[in-house]
Amino acid sequence: MKLLKRETLIETLDGTKDIVVKLLVGSMLVYFVYAGVIPAMKDIPNLIQKNFYTIEGIAQKDCKPPKFNRMSVHIMDEETKEVLYVTFFYGDPIDKGDRLTVQYLPNLKFGVLIERNGERIRNKIE
């Protein structure tokens, strides 16, 4: 009997609420495309040509690994004094002052940790 009776699962929204919800969802979609999809598309030629940037510097803040070991760290290059925000996968915590070497994609700022305090973690991508 319940299969024959159809009940609505979600109430329909009236005009004002519907417009607000559509604007919020649309703005979130635009943000995700701007922040993630466009930089990833710009890095496709860099992946094909294996054009990775390398930064060697000092971690500016402590960073504890989150649930999926994806870390985002501010690294200051000692030569240029440029601070770069790079994301990579690593399981151990990173302390302020650790010397890091990271290879990363220039637009996404996503990379691979190569060395930490002189200890080789992975080989460089050639």
Side-chain angles (χ1 to χ4, degrees):
M1 284 300 207
K2 286 195 176 199
L3 291 175
L4 296 176
K5 280 175 72 177
R6 285 190 126 188
E7 294 181 19
T8 59
L9 297 176
I10 301 173
E11 292 181 23
T12 58
L13 301 174
D14 62 348
T16 308
K17 291 179 185 176
D18 187 41
I19 290 172
V20 170
V21 168
K22 286 180 182 177
L23 286 173
L24 286 174
V25 170
S27 62
M28 287 182 2
L29 183 63
V30 167
Y31 172 76
F32 286 124
V33 167
Y34 180 74
V37 175
I38 292 174
M41 289 173 50
K42 287 181 180 179
D43 275 333
I44 289 173
N46 293 321
L47 280 171
I48 292 170
Q49 298 170 0
K50 294 188 178 182
N51 181 22
F52 302 106
Y53 290 15
T54 303
I55 185 168
E56 296 178 14
I58 298 174
Q60 297 297 302
K61 295 181 182 177
D62 291 340
C63 185
K64 294 183 174 55
K67 187 175 184 179
F68 297 111
N69 295 335
R70 181 177 172 175
M71 307 181 94
S72 296
V73 179
H74 289 89
I75 301 173
M76 183 177 73
D77 191 355
E78 291 180 324
E79 295 174 6
T80 62
K81 302 296 183 197
E82 176 186 355
V83 177
L84 185 69
Y85 188 68
V86 183
T87 303
F88 53 85
F89 288 104
Y90 187 61
D92 295 333
I94 291 184
D95 300 322
K96 181 179 180 178
D98 282 351
R99 295 190 55 77
L100 304 174
T101 303
V102 178
Q103 271 190 321
Y104 65 95
L105 292 168
N107 295 307
L108 277 176
K109 305 286 191 263
F110 191 83
V112 176
L113 180 64
I114 304 297
E115 284 185 9
R116 177 179 174 219
N117 294 329
E119 177 187 342
R120 171 98 37 206
I121 307 297
R122 290 193 176 96
N123 292 327
K124 285 190 174 185
I125 301 170
E126 301 293 333

